[in-house]
Amino acid sequence: PFIKNNYYNDVYIVVGKGHNADEMFAAYDVAYGLQGLRNQLPSIIVENQVPANAHNLILVGTPCTNTLVAEFLATNDCNSMINKGIVSLDYGERKTTMIVSGKTSDDVRKAALFLKNYPLYAPTGRVALIEGSVNNPNGFVVTYPN
């Protein structure tokens, strides 16, 4: 949904106003994963810069650092999150939203590295949970809950 006819399909990678360096690195990991052979990276913006109207969005951060992630996950309590990277895909009526999140910024980075190194979809579902070390993204353990 984020690439159409080999061009970016009205996509924005969105970090929260409260993002930290790890979350910005995560946004770039996602961007590099999307870039492929294209000459430029997709746009990375802060949540208050999202243009009006419907767009394909990739929301990066925890519910505590990105209010759009909090809205999508219906929580701003980071302590209630599981201690894993989370990639969640939601197909809307006109646009698609992907969440790249977790309990901590380290978990967010795991989710982003998963996307950078693997296809941009969960092959057996719309949610992927990622465990492992950011220092060894090839060693991630990925589960796809129903």
Side-chain angles (χ1 to χ4, degrees):
F2 304 110
I3 305 291
K4 184 176 182 178
N5 297 324
N6 206 32
Y7 292 98
Y8 298 121
N9 187 19
D10 190 29
V11 63
Y12 292 94
I13 299 171
V14 184
V15 296
K17 289 190 285 185
H19 73 275
N20 58 31
D22 281 338
E23 290 175 1
M24 185 56 81
F25 286 134
Y28 274 99
D29 288 334
V30 173
Y32 286 122
L34 268 177
Q35 182 182 22
L37 299 175
R38 292 166 200 82
N39 291 331
Q40 65 185 43
L41 292 174
S43 298
I44 299 173
I45 60 175
V46 178
E47 64 185 306
N48 61 344
Q49 299 172 324
V50 175
N53 301 319
H55 302 280
N56 291 311
L57 300 176
I58 301 173
L59 307 178
V60 178
T62 70
C64 296
T65 60
N66 188 327
T67 59
L68 296 176
V69 170
E71 284 176 27
F72 187 85
L73 297 177
T75 185
N76 61 0
D77 180 8
C78 287
N79 291 325
S80 69
M81 301 284 292
I82 59 172
N83 205 12
K84 297 178 184 176
I86 301 167
V87 174
S88 178
L89 199 56
D90 180 57
Y91 296 100
E93 189 174 309
R94 295 185 318 138
K95 297 295 178 176
T96 301
T97 302
M98 179 183 284
I99 303 297
V100 180
S101 190
K103 185 173 187 174
T104 67
S105 58
D106 189 62
D107 293 330
V108 173
R109 192 81 197 275
K110 289 175 201 173
L113 288 168
F114 164 76
L115 290 173
K116 180 180 178 185
N117 292 301
Y118 296 95
L120 287 174
Y121 59 90
T124 60
R126 292 186 179 184
V127 176
L129 303 177
I130 299 95
E131 297 178 85
S133 169
V134 295
N135 297 322
N136 183 18
N138 292 329
F140 286 154
V141 174
V142 181
T143 54
Y144 300 95
N146 292 338

